[in-house]
């Protein structure tokens, strides 16, 4: 890429991050181009459609989540590691209003979308954490990483709609993931809450205690 093209690319990406964070991923692409000081044709030469631009905006967050998944592979508690990572997926996705809805819509549509293709390394990273939790006997064998990622997108969507509820992510993860654990006798712990009673709104770093 020529130096001037690279500058345009970087300006477009920086402005897209700002516009999407402020107005959501349905924001006007013309506004992104205008703020970057280029025409809409230049934007489309770099990013042929909205999903391509969203994928580029989300790329840094994806790379951070992949690195975090690698780090959590050595965590002593596989179940807590999985839940911690899922919590961070929710947080990253919810940073851009509309991203979670887009990810939910493309996850079952195959790899044609640029946004869908960025999900492949995420599924692989999540599957590695899920496999550890299965092998440790803390997660049911029929739990699928695709379902868990869809669940995180749904939770992120709920968080977008309730920005003033700081504990919503923790509560919804605890409730939704309460069924991950194989059934145990009454009073035994489970993956989501770590105790036999009703689930409480605890942070992922507390889950599994």
């Amino acid at each position: 890429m020529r130096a001037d093209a690279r500058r345009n690319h970087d300006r477009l990406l920086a402005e897209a991050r700002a516009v999407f964070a402020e107005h959501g991923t349905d924001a006007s692409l013309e506004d992104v181009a205008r703020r970057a000081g280029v025409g809409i044709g230049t934007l489309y030469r770099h990013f042929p459609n909205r999903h391509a631009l969203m994928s580029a905006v989300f790329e840094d967050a994806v790379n951070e989540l992949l690195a975090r998944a690698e780090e959590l592979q050595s965590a002593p508690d596989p179940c807590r590691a999985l839940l911690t990572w899922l919590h961070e997926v929710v947080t990253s996705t919810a940073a851009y209003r509309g991203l979670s809805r887009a990810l939910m819509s493309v996850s079952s549509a195959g790899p044609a979308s640029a946004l869908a293709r960025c999900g492949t390394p995420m599924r692989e990273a999540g599957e590695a954490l899920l496999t550890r939790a299965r092998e440790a006997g803390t997660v049911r064998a029929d739990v699928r990483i695709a379902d868990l990622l869809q669940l995180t997108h749904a939770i992120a969507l709920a968080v977008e709609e309730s920005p003033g509820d700081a504990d919503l992510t923790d509560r919804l993860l605890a409730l939704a993931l309460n069924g991950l654990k194989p059934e145990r006798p009454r009073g035994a712990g489970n993956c989501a809450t770590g105790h036999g009673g009703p689930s409480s709104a605890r942070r992922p770093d507390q889950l599994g205690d």
Side-chain angles (χ1 to χ4, degrees):
M1 191 180 295
R2 299 196 320 261
D4 57 341
R6 169 56 64 184
R7 284 193 297 272
N8 287 339
H9 177 279
D10 292 345
R11 281 201 302 268
L12 284 164
L13 200 49
E15 294 301 337
R17 288 193 186 99
V19 170
F20 286 172
E22 183 178 357
H23 301 293
T25 56
D26 290 332
S28 165
L29 297 188
E30 287 81 2
D31 187 37
V32 172
R34 179 184 57 77
R35 289 175 55 157
V38 301
I40 190 64
T42 299
L43 184 150
Y44 282 123
R45 280 196 295 275
H46 288 280
F47 307 102
N49 52 54
R50 185 178 296 271
H51 277 186
L53 181 56
M54 290 167 63
S55 178
V57 167
F58 195 44
E59 182 178 3
D60 287 344
V62 169
N63 289 335
E64 290 175 4
L65 289 167
L66 296 179
R68 182 67 169 137
E70 182 67 24
E71 177 185 333
L72 287 167
Q73 279 290 333
S74 59
D77 185 332
C79 179
R80 185 186 303 172
L82 174 63
L83 295 181
T84 296
W85 188 72
L86 292 175
H87 185 280
E88 294 178 12
V89 171
V90 172
T91 301
S92 294
T93 306
Y96 298 103
R97 191 173 70 255
L99 178 58
S100 54
R101 183 180 287 105
L103 288 169
M104 289 179 74
S105 68
V106 302
S107 62
S108 59
S113 164
L115 192 58
R117 287 195 297 272
C118 81
T120 300
M122 289 283 289
R123 286 191 296 273
E124 292 172 351
E127 182 63 39
L129 292 172
L130 177 57
T131 297
R132 283 189 74 224
R134 283 200 205 100
E135 292 174 348
T138 56
V139 171
R140 295 200 324 262
D142 61 340
V143 176
R144 302 191 310 163
I145 190 59
D147 294 338
L148 290 183
L149 289 175
Q150 282 287 71
L151 178 62
T152 64
H153 301 332
I155 292 176
L157 185 58
V159 170
E160 289 175 18
E161 299 300 322
S162 303
D165 191 341
D167 295 326
L168 184 59
T169 299
D170 299 321
R171 294 201 313 274
L172 291 181
L173 273 176
L175 287 171
L177 301 178
N178 195 45
L180 280 180
K181 183 72 176 178
E183 290 190 7
R184 288 186 176 182
R186 185 177 178 83
N190 59 50
C191 181
T193 64
H195 57 74
S199 63
S200 56
R202 301 163 69 190
R203 298 190 312 273
D205 60 353
Q206 297 172 313
L207 300 178
D209 289 340

